[in-house]
């Protein structure tokens, strides 16, 4: 049950709308289901001889405005309180008597007309559809004082949650006031008329988030907004300092032909310029290219940045188990990382990743303060991915996307657990939604490399297959990893262990290290998770069909802002694989 509250100044105009046909003839049988005294005139059910609807409408509006007229110039400028209350499409149809109960409980909850108070405000509840009512009240009491209505929206929400439970309706998740502003009805109708799939407010919010992902400076942020094709208007103080900004979609104009501007704070609470400045205050970790000796400098820039981001995301998941302020900051950084991945992904996964980033945006905001915490590693990862750009979907680049997505699924599930433990119902639900979208994108990205790995595992000599299956049974006795003689999903894991051993790693040691990195209980497929962990730890190509790109003889990797990865930041980015002692390496087979 969703209440939506607005305020206005025209009682008669709202009454006429509620009893009219609606903008699309959607109003059917409009009538009262409740009023302040039970005797208010009902233009929809007037049984007097030759009733004139206009006269009855005027009588109803005059009755509602009686106290407003009596108080004269002391009446509030916006004296009309309007609340629409809608049930979920899957809910049963409530009777008029039940809607009357809902209306009375709501006007009591917000202190408009407390039960038993003879001086409560005048109100009516009009029903013109099966699934909702409109409550109209005038905010002057019988004793000519204004009602105390602090936090009316929160109180109405809380009462709706109680009503849902008592009436057996779908129980929605309680809000906490940190959600982004939803489009108004006028914005939605305008979007439909313009042929847009969503309201401009939602399009702008996503565009601003993507422009912010990995941004190093305020100037770069505004430049990215303009490069994305948005209109940008920066508000300056007399001193020349920027005070705020507004954005508009090209072609989105009002009735006067002027652009429709949206301040950043009206798109989302954390997109105001002061909040953005707080996020940029720590900057991004400066990066420098790692030496070619560890193999990572040989991958293409998109692949290298995704490999680095995978380790950083794993560390963020670990930090979600720690201090609340630190965890809240990591969630903001993960949101930027998702935005960066979504805008640089191949067409096959872009829709699901965009949906994941949009869902997780809600999980990045709560009442837990995230200031004065270090998110430079995550922001650097987002910056590197954005600057490395696309060129995805082929070879190693596509495989590392699957590697990163496998980890991001785990991170979003860890975020859901963190929010649930603190009673953040909406944020926890958003995290689980993001995880579902990421899983779908993962399956799309991983299909080809995993199929190649399965084939490689089945093609290994039987003696080698048997050796690695013994290792799996010894290390993973209770993980449900099947390693028998028939082709199974463990073939990819066997192939990876064989390739790691060929590079000089001890398979059992490496496997234990991969398991210790993070819990596996939330993994949809333990085999897949371990495959990607092993391939990253052993510096194996994420796409097994391609070798890493080698620089030409006599050349060194170029250190550009797009692909720098600081060696001194590597421990924060990912747990470095332990290089086995040569004396303890297993003999090559």
């Amino acid at each position: 049950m969703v209440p939506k509250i607005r305020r206005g100044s025209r009682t008669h105009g709202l009454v006429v709308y509620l009893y009219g046909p609606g903008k699309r003839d959607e109003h059917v049988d409009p009538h009262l289901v409740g009023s302040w005294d039970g005797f208010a005139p009902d233009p929809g059910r007037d049984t007097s001889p030759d009733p004139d609807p206009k006269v009855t409408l005027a009588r109803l509006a005059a009755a509602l405005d009686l106290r407003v007229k009596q108080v004269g110039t002391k009446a509030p400028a916006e004296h009309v309180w309007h609340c629409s209350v809608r049930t979920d499409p899957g809910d049963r149809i409530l009777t008029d008597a039940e809607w009357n109960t809902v209306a009375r409980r709501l006007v009591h909850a917000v202190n408009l007309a407390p039960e038993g108070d003879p001086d409560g405000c005048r109100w009516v509840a009009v029903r013109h559809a099966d699934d909702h009512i409109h409550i109209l009240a005038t905010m002057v009491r019988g004793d000519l004082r204004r009602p105390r209505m602090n936090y009316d929206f929160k109180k109405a929400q809380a009462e709706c949650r109680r009503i849902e439970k008592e009436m057996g309706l779908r129980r929605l998740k309680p809000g906490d006031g940190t959600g982004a502003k939803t489009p108004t009805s006028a914005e939605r109708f305008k979007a439909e008329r313009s042929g847009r799939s969503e309201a401009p407010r939602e399009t702008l919010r996503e565009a601003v988030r993507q422009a912010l992902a990995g941004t190093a400076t305020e100037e770069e942020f505004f430049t990215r907004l303009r490069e994305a094709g948005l209109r940008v208007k920066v508000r300056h103080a007399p001193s020349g300092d920027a005070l705020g900004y507004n954005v508009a979609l090209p072609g989105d104009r009002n009735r006067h032909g002027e652009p429709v501007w949206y301040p950043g704070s009206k798109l989302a609470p954390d997109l105001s310029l002061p909040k953005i400045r707080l996020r940029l205050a720590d900057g991004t970790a400066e990066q420098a290219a790692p030496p070619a000796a560890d193999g990572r400098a040989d991958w293409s820039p998109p692949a290298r940045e995704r490999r680095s981001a995978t380790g950083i995301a794993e560390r963020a998941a670990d930090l979600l188990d720690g201090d609340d302020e630190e965890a809240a900051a990591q969630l903001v950084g993960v949101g930027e990382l998702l935005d960066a991945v979504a805008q640089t992904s191949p067409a096959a996964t872009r829709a699901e990743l965009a949906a994941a980033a949009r869902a997780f945006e809600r999980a990045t905001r709560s009442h837990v303060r995230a200031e004065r915490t270090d998110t430079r590693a995550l922001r650097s990862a987002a910056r590197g991915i954005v600057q490395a750009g696309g060129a995805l979907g082929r070879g190693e680049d596509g495989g590392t996307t699957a590697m990163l997505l496998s980890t991001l699924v785990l991170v979003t599930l860890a975020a859901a657990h963190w929010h649930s433990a603190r009673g953040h119902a909406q944020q926890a639900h958003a995290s689980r939604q993001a995880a579902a979208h990421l899983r779908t994108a993962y399956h799309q990205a991983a299909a080809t490399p995993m199929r190649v790995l399965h084939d490689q595992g089945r093609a290994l000599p039987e003696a080698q297959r048997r050796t690695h299956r013994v290792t799996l049974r010894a290390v993973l006795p209770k993980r449900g990893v099947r390693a028998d003689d028939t082709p199974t999903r463990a073939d990819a894991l066997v192939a990876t262990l064989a390739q790691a051993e060929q590079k000089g790693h001890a398979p059992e040691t490496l496997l234990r290290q991969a398991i210790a990195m993070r819990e596996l209980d939330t993994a949809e497929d333990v085999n897949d998770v371990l495959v990607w962990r092993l391939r990253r730890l052993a510096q194996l190509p994420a796409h097994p069909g391609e070798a890493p790109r080698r620089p030409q003889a006599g050349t060194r990797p170029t250190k550009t802002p797009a692909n720098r990865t600081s060696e001194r930041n590597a421990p924060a980015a990912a747990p470095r694989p332990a290089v086995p002692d040569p004396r303890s390496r297993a003999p090559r087979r």
Side-chain angles (χ1 to χ4, degrees):
M1 181 173 286
V2 180
K4 187 172 183 179
I5 296 173
R6 295 168 288 266
R7 301 197 181 195
S9 58
R10 297 178 63 244
T11 306
H12 185 267
L14 181 54
V15 170
V16 169
Y17 167 75
L18 295 178
Y19 277 93
K23 295 181 178 180
R24 303 181 182 182
D25 296 324
E26 70 273 21
H27 295 179
V28 179
D29 186 25
H31 60 280
L32 289 184
V33 294
S35 66
W36 72 95
D37 61 358
F39 297 102
D42 184 357
R45 299 284 175 88
D46 193 343
T47 58
S48 60
D50 299 321
D52 185 344
K54 292 184 179 179
V55 173
T56 310
L57 285 170
R59 286 175 53 217
L60 177 59
L64 287 165
D65 271 341
L66 176 63
R67 306 304 183 194
V68 178
K69 299 295 184 184
Q70 288 176 338
V71 81
T73 58
K74 295 182 179 180
E78 292 188 331
H79 63 271
V80 176
W81 188 83
H82 175 206
C83 177
S84 58
V85 191
R86 187 179 301 271
T87 55
D88 185 77
D91 284 334
R92 63 183 177 85
I93 297 176
L94 302 185
T95 65
D96 283 356
E98 288 175 316
W99 276 123
N100 178 38
T101 300
V102 170
R104 289 187 176 279
R105 291 183 60 168
L106 286 175
V107 294
H108 169 80
V110 301
N111 203 42
L112 270 169
E115 287 291 335
D117 184 355
D119 289 326
C121 296
R122 295 193 167 196
W123 62 273
V124 293
V126 180
R127 181 179 189 179
H128 53 215
D130 287 338
D131 64 347
H132 72 278
I133 61 170
H134 292 262
I135 304 172
L136 187 163
T138 48
M139 294 186 290
V140 178
R141 291 169 44 83
D143 53 13
L144 305 187
R145 293 186 293 118
R146 296 185 188 183
R148 295 183 178 180
M149 296 184 60
N150 297 331
Y151 308 107
D152 56 335
F153 177 75
K154 288 185 177 180
K155 293 175 180 177
Q157 286 274 10
E159 188 64 24
C160 282
R161 302 293 83 79
R162 289 188 283 269
I163 292 172
E164 289 164 356
K165 182 178 180 180
E166 294 173 18
M167 291 190 172
L169 305 176
R170 179 190 173 191
R171 299 176 65 179
L172 301 183
K173 297 170 177 61
D176 60 1
T178 62
K181 183 175 175 60
T182 57
T184 65
S185 298
E187 290 173 350
R188 290 196 300 270
F189 291 146
K190 181 181 177 181
E192 291 178 12
R193 292 194 304 270
S194 304
R196 298 180 185 274
S197 59
E198 60 185 7
R201 183 189 300 275
E202 296 171 305
T203 303
L204 288 169
R205 181 162 56 240
E206 184 169 7
V208 172
R209 281 200 341 262
Q210 291 189 349
L212 183 57
T215 298
T217 65
E218 194 173 311
E219 292 73 19
E220 182 184 0
F221 169 63
F222 290 130
T223 298
R224 284 194 187 180
L225 289 178
R226 294 185 178 96
E227 289 175 348
L230 305 185
R231 293 175 178 268
V232 182
K233 182 170 62 177
V234 182
R235 303 190 303 277
H236 293 279
S239 62
D241 296 331
L243 296 175
Y245 72 98
N246 296 59
V247 289
L249 281 181
D252 183 26
R253 298 181 178 273
N254 58 22
R255 67 182 66 181
H256 304 296
E258 300 167 339
V260 180
W261 296 100
Y262 292 86
S265 60
K266 298 299 182 182
L267 298 177
D270 56 345
L271 294 182
S272 66
L273 189 56
K275 294 291 182 65
I276 289 175
R277 282 172 174 162
L278 285 175
R279 196 184 299 193
L280 299 179
D282 289 336
T284 56
E286 190 169 336
Q287 299 176 338
D294 71 358
R296 287 182 291 172
D298 299 332
W299 312 120
S300 66
R304 184 165 55 251
E305 296 301 338
R306 278 163 170 71
R307 280 176 171 266
S308 175
T310 301
I312 293 171
E314 285 173 348
R315 182 171 181 269
D318 291 333
L319 292 174
L320 289 177
D321 296 331
D323 178 76
D324 275 6
E325 286 191 5
E326 177 68 34
Q330 296 303 310
L331 293 176
V332 175
V334 171
E336 285 199 37
L337 185 57
L338 280 171
D339 284 322
V341 174
Q343 62 185 293
T344 57
S345 292
T349 57
R350 189 174 302 144
E352 288 294 338
L353 290 175
R358 182 173 291 195
F360 196 76
E361 181 255 355
R362 182 66 186 91
T364 62
R365 293 190 304 273
S366 68
H367 287 299
V368 179
R369 299 176 66 87
E371 286 88 69
R372 298 182 300 279
T373 48
D374 189 359
T375 59
R376 286 179 297 171
L378 281 164
R379 301 201 72 249
S380 293
R383 182 176 182 81
I385 288 174
V386 170
Q387 292 188 329
L392 299 174
R394 55 180 179 80
E396 171 68 14
D397 295 345
T400 46
T401 296
M403 179 184 290
L404 175 56
L405 296 185
S406 175
T407 299
L408 286 175
V409 170
L410 180 140
V411 175
T412 50
L413 291 175
H417 177 76
W418 186 84
H419 281 303
S420 295
R422 287 151 185 81
H424 305 162
Q426 290 191 0
Q427 291 90 334
H429 177 66
S431 300
R432 287 188 285 268
Q433 281 185 316
H437 288 297
L438 286 169
R439 275 185 171 135
T440 301
Y442 165 77
H443 290 306
Q444 294 168 342
T448 299
M450 291 301 291
R451 183 171 60 251
V452 172
L453 277 173
H454 288 315
D455 293 343
Q456 290 178 350
R458 288 193 289 269
L460 288 172
E462 183 57 32
Q464 193 174 6
R465 283 166 54 86
R466 187 180 303 110
T467 298
H468 292 305
R469 286 200 298 269
V470 170
T471 300
L472 290 176
R473 280 193 287 267
V475 180
L476 300 167
K478 299 179 180 179
R479 294 292 181 182
V481 179
R482 297 170 57 195
D484 51 23
D485 293 330
T486 59
T488 69
R489 292 188 63 83
D491 285 328
L493 194 50
V494 167
T496 299
L497 287 174
Q499 293 167 13
E501 184 180 41
Q502 189 176 7
K503 284 196 66 174
H505 295 276
E508 183 172 340
T509 301
L510 196 66
L511 184 59
R512 292 187 185 279
Q513 185 180 354
I515 295 170
M517 287 170 63
R518 183 74 187 178
E519 55 84 21
L520 293 167
D521 296 334
T522 56
E524 185 180 44
D525 191 307
V526 173
N527 292 349
D528 282 20
V529 172
L530 289 177
V531 162
W532 297 119
R533 289 184 186 178
L534 288 169
R535 300 194 76 81
R536 190 172 62 81
L537 288 172
Q539 294 302 322
L540 298 172
H543 192 291
E546 275 198 3
R549 302 192 311 180
R550 297 284 178 183
Q552 296 179 358
T555 64
R556 299 181 64 183
T558 302
K559 298 181 181 180
T560 66
N563 59 24
R564 293 174 185 165
T565 308
S566 177
E567 184 69 20
R568 58 187 170 86
N569 289 326
R576 298 292 300 274
V579 179
D581 189 305
R583 295 170 295 180
S584 63
R585 289 181 181 175
R588 302 247 180 145
R589 298 183 183 275

